[in-house]
């Protein structure tokens, strides 16, 4: 018995096909909305995330790569297809295809749920990046809590300590003063039980609730201020997360 899982999404984005290609098929672009992912630009080239191998390289129309775990037989294929939009802008067709030579279990179902929800949030961030920041270079800042959060109220408490009003919704402006960190005068661009997105003049700030999947709570910020010291920012945000309970 084998098990497969497929995520497919289609997005209309207000940029050229070349601009969209740069965002999804280069390391510099991915740092602005996803995470660092070095890509060797050729079929058979290495992709650092996974690691994976480039299956299709047809700029600016089709990029795909696949990670295969030789020990378990699991494979993960990531694909982007880019076309000119019907009016202006471009159409992005995105897919993730998992194949596993065994039956699904609770762990696989949990991972599939996490992949679906994270993919939707990441692609919301892609649109924010393209509308407000591309092609500015980004520093990627990632920090974790020390372990999984068994308490379902841990993430709401973290947002309260950050200073996010309980009734704030997408589109609201918020003035945040996190302890030991620079002030954030931001637009709240996304809010759900699992994710928070904030947009400032110089950054996309992303907060991830790990409770739903028994993961640590973590953050992945995309900072476009060239004066940012990435190591210092990681240290300060890690301290803040650790103190937040």
């Amino acid at each position: 018995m084998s098990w497969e899982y497929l995520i497919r999404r289609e997005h209309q984005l207000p940029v050229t096909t070349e601009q969209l290609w740069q965002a999804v098929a280069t390391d510099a672009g991915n740092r602005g909305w996803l995470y660092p992912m070095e890509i060797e630009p050729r079929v058979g080239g290495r992709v650092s995330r996974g690691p994976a191998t480039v299956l299709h390289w047809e700029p600016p129309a089709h990029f795909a790569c696949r990670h295969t775990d030789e020990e378990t037989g699991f494979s993960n294929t990531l694909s982007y297809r880019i076309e000119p939009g019907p009016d202006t802008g471009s159409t992005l067709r995105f897919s993730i295809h998992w194949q596993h030579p065994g039956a699904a279990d609770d762990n696989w179902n949990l991972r599939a749920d996490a992949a679906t929800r994270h993919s939707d949030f990441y692609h919301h961030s892609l649109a924010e990046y393209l509308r407000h920041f591309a092609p500015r270079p980004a520093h990627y800042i990632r920090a974790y809590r020390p372990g999984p959060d068994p308490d379902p109220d841990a993430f709401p408490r973290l947002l309260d300590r950050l200073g996010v009003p309980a009734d704030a919704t997408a589109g609201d402006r918020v003035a945040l003063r996190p302890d030991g960190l620079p002030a954030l005068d931001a637009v709240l661009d996304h809010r759900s039980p699992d994710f928070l997105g904030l947009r400032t003049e110089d950054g996309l700030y992303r907060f991830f609730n790990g409770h739903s999947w028994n993961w640590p709570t973590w953050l992945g910020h995309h900072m476009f201020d060239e004066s940012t010291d990435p190591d210092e920012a990681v240290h300060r945000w890690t301290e803040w997360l650790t103190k937040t309970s």
Side-chain angles (χ1 to χ4, degrees):
M1 180 181 291
S2 62
W3 178 72
E4 295 188 49
Y5 186 72
L6 179 64
I7 301 171
R8 279 190 179 140
R9 295 291 186 270
E10 181 174 308
H11 306 279
Q12 305 296 319
L13 295 161
V15 292
T16 67
T17 56
E18 181 59 37
Q19 289 170 320
L20 187 48
W21 175 266
Q22 291 298 317
V24 302
T26 70
D27 181 52
N30 279 293
R31 286 174 185 267
W33 63 277
L34 186 60
Y35 40 65
M37 188 164 71
E38 296 178 3
I39 301 166
E40 188 179 357
R42 63 177 180 85
V43 173
R46 185 180 185 276
V47 179
S48 62
R49 194 75 179 185
T53 301
V54 175
L55 298 180
H56 296 280
W57 186 262
E58 302 167 23
H62 187 196
F63 164 58
C65 62
R66 178 179 295 155
H67 163 70
T68 301
D69 187 317
E70 299 296 341
E71 185 174 328
T72 66
F74 166 79
S75 72
N76 176 13
T77 302
L78 168 68
S79 176
Y80 294 106
R81 291 184 179 273
I82 302 169
E83 301 171 1
D87 298 310
T88 59
S90 301
T91 299
L92 175 68
R93 293 187 173 89
F94 158 81
S95 68
I96 290 176
H97 184 201
W98 289 359
Q99 293 180 291
H100 182 64
D105 58 20
D106 289 344
N107 182 56
W108 284 109
N109 291 330
L110 198 69
R111 288 181 62 185
D113 177 68
T116 299
R117 293 200 227 176
H118 281 73
S119 293
D120 288 339
F121 182 50
Y122 281 131
H123 284 85
H124 165 79
S125 296
L126 170 61
E128 291 291 294
Y129 165 68
L130 289 168
R131 290 189 180 103
H132 299 283
F133 297 106
R136 291 169 61 183
H139 295 291
Y140 182 67
I141 309 302
R142 188 166 187 165
Y144 290 89
R145 290 282 290 274
D149 285 313
D151 183 352
D153 293 325
F155 194 62
R157 283 201 304 271
L158 180 145
L159 301 189
D160 180 65
R161 187 164 182 265
L162 183 63
V164 179
D167 59 351
T169 59
D172 288 351
R173 292 190 171 274
V174 291
L176 310 179
R177 303 295 182 266
D179 295 343
L181 288 158
L184 296 177
D185 294 311
V187 173
L188 194 158
D189 65 83
H190 182 94
R191 186 173 197 168
S192 72
D194 295 308
F195 309 105
L196 177 78
L198 301 168
R199 186 184 73 248
T200 70
E201 290 186 357
D202 292 308
L204 291 173
Y205 292 78
R206 270 53 193 134
F207 299 84
F208 299 79
N209 179 12
H211 174 76
S212 296
W213 308 284
N214 195 36
W215 295 350
T217 294
W218 63 284
L219 57 83
H221 300 336
H222 312 276
M223 302 179 72
F224 301 92
D225 183 345
E226 293 182 3
S227 67
T228 297
D229 180 333
D231 293 336
E232 175 65 17
V234 168
H235 172 73
R236 294 175 74 177
W237 278 106
T238 299
E239 273 196 338
W240 182 83
L241 277 176
T242 302
K243 293 176 181 176
T244 303
S245 60

